[in-house]
Amino acid sequence: METDTISDASARLSSEPQEMVRRARRFATIDVAFRRITFAATLTVLVLLGGVIVVLFLGALPAIGQFGFGFVFTEIWNPVTQKFGAWAPIYGTLITSAIAMLFAVPVSLGIAIFLTEFCPRFLRRPIGIAIELLAGIPSIVYGIWGLFVLAPFLQLKFQPLVIDAFADIPVLSTLFAGPPYGVGLFTAGVILAVMVIPFVTAVARDVFETVPPVLKEAAYGIGCTTWEVVRRVVIPYTRIGLFGGVMLGLGRALGETMAVAFVVGNAHRMNPNLFAPGTTISAAIANEFTEAVGVFYKSALIELGLILFVITFIVLAVARLMLARMGRRPGG
């Protein structure tokens, strides 16, 4: 009996290394397969991105050959004479995005600070959900609201007051001049601000909640007010995340189409008056692509898409560079 027991034990001991080897091989196979699947997913994204760039470049090639680099700085847009320039849409895209961020960033930070520092706990979740629901509203609904509600309000109530108030101030009288159209670059910027607020607010609130409570408690312990805690502790600790949220909102503003197309006025001209009608790259493409007749007309619209792609890439690249520099600072 003792001999059989020893034999069974020896057999188990000899089989355990083999089982461990088989298990290690299986885990190694699964790890290699997982690595290849993730690499294939990453490569797919790069291939799709490269395909988009190639398609845009090939589509824009006739316009590039016809108008050259001057296409970027030419304001004229005349489908009848087949003369096209991108300066007015580029100007409109940058101005509306700047107006949107000018309004959206302070409001978003204020909402995030209220939710994390002042709001009663039982109200934080309902208010947060209500704000995030704004991100789920289709852009065309924002456009309809802007055209039938916001634009008449601005035309009848807001713009006349601003025009009269700044009439005698040299620079502001040019930026805010009459007549009050209702639709225009300013209206499009306000619509974009409303659409951007949920994104920036959500990111800001999440990063504010990552601040260790001990840091805020220490600041309160030495007599800091809530404003001082937010300014000297919360915002410096989360500045990288906040900047990323702002860049997310800016990317949203640069590429928005339908809401802007409803209220921007769709005028291919560069006007320093923010109340005047204008256009953006995405709005111009959406409004005119189905009516584009002729090789150069359609190619000019595709080149506008290529320019928007380049602008977005530059913005994201600058954002990544600034994030890297902020991260290298002490405490980054």
Side-chain angles (χ1 to χ4, degrees):
M1 293 294 293
E2 293 180 358
T3 304
D4 294 339
T5 303
I6 294 174
S7 300
D8 294 339
S10 300
R12 285 196 300 270
L13 291 174
S14 62
S15 64
E16 286 181 359
Q18 297 178 1
E19 179 64 25
M20 293 177 62
V21 170
R22 286 195 297 267
R23 185 177 302 175
R25 289 177 177 174
R26 185 170 65 253
F27 288 160
T29 303
I30 294 174
D31 186 65
V32 171
F34 178 71
R35 186 184 309 162
R36 290 178 178 176
I37 290 173
T38 54
F39 175 76
T42 305
L43 188 62
T44 301
V45 174
L46 295 177
V47 169
L48 291 175
L49 180 62
V52 170
I53 296 174
V54 170
V55 169
L56 288 175
F57 180 77
L58 293 179
L61 205 56
I64 295 175
Q66 177 69 18
F67 306 113
F69 190 72
F71 176 82
V72 177
F73 300 101
T74 302
E75 183 180 350
I76 186 172
W77 188 273
N78 193 337
V80 177
T81 60
Q82 295 289 293
K83 301 292 184 180
F84 302 102
W87 185 236
I90 293 174
Y91 171 80
T93 299
L94 298 178
I95 291 298
T96 54
S97 299
I99 294 173
M101 301 313 296
L102 184 65
F103 285 115
V105 172
V107 173
S108 300
L109 294 182
I111 295 173
I113 292 171
F114 173 77
L115 290 176
T116 56
E117 301 295 333
F118 299 103
C119 184
R121 187 171 296 275
F122 70 94
L123 287 178
R124 290 182 183 179
R125 187 173 181 82
I127 295 176
I129 293 175
I131 294 172
E132 292 175 357
L133 284 176
L134 291 175
I137 299 176
S139 60
I140 194 170
V141 175
Y142 280 109
I144 294 173
W145 172 78
L147 182 62
F148 292 105
V149 178
L150 180 62
F153 170 77
L154 293 178
Q155 181 183 19
L156 299 176
K157 303 294 184 181
F158 179 76
Q159 292 182 357
L161 293 177
V162 175
I163 293 170
D164 293 339
F166 296 149
D168 298 328
I169 303 176
V171 177
L172 296 179
S173 62
T174 303
L175 293 177
F176 304 100
Y181 293 99
V183 297
L185 297 174
F186 182 83
T187 308
V190 174
I191 290 290
L192 288 176
V194 176
M195 300 178 69
V196 163
I197 284 174
F199 297 93
V200 182
T201 300
V203 175
R205 183 194 61 187
D206 290 341
V207 298
F208 284 167
E209 290 177 348
T210 64
V211 179
V214 65
L215 295 181
K216 294 192 288 187
E217 292 171 0
Y220 285 122
I222 61 175
C224 291
T225 63
T226 303
W227 162 245
E228 290 174 328
V229 170
V230 171
R231 184 168 63 94
R232 298 182 181 275
V233 177
V234 176
I235 292 180
Y237 187 88
T238 61
R239 65 182 185 274
I240 296 179
L242 289 178
F243 186 77
V246 172
M247 289 299 103
L248 175 65
L250 180 58
R252 169 80 161 135
L254 287 171
E256 179 53 43
T257 303
M258 294 309 300
V260 175
F262 271 83
V263 298
V264 76
N266 302 310
H268 280 272
R269 61 175 179 268
M270 191 190 75
N271 196 326
N273 179 15
L274 299 181
F275 290 158
T279 189
T280 64
I281 294 176
S282 56
I285 296 173
N287 286 325
E288 302 185 30
F289 198 82
T290 56
E291 302 175 357
V293 178
V295 177
F296 295 125
Y297 193 0
K298 183 173 293 186
S299 180
L301 292 173
I302 296 176
E303 188 174 358
L304 284 180
L306 181 62
I307 292 173
L308 181 60
F309 182 89
V310 172
I311 292 175
T312 306
F313 177 81
I314 292 174
V315 170
L316 293 178
V318 172
R320 293 298 301 176
L321 179 61
M322 294 183 66
L323 286 173
R325 296 184 63 181
M326 291 170 65
R328 288 196 295 266
R329 294 177 183 176

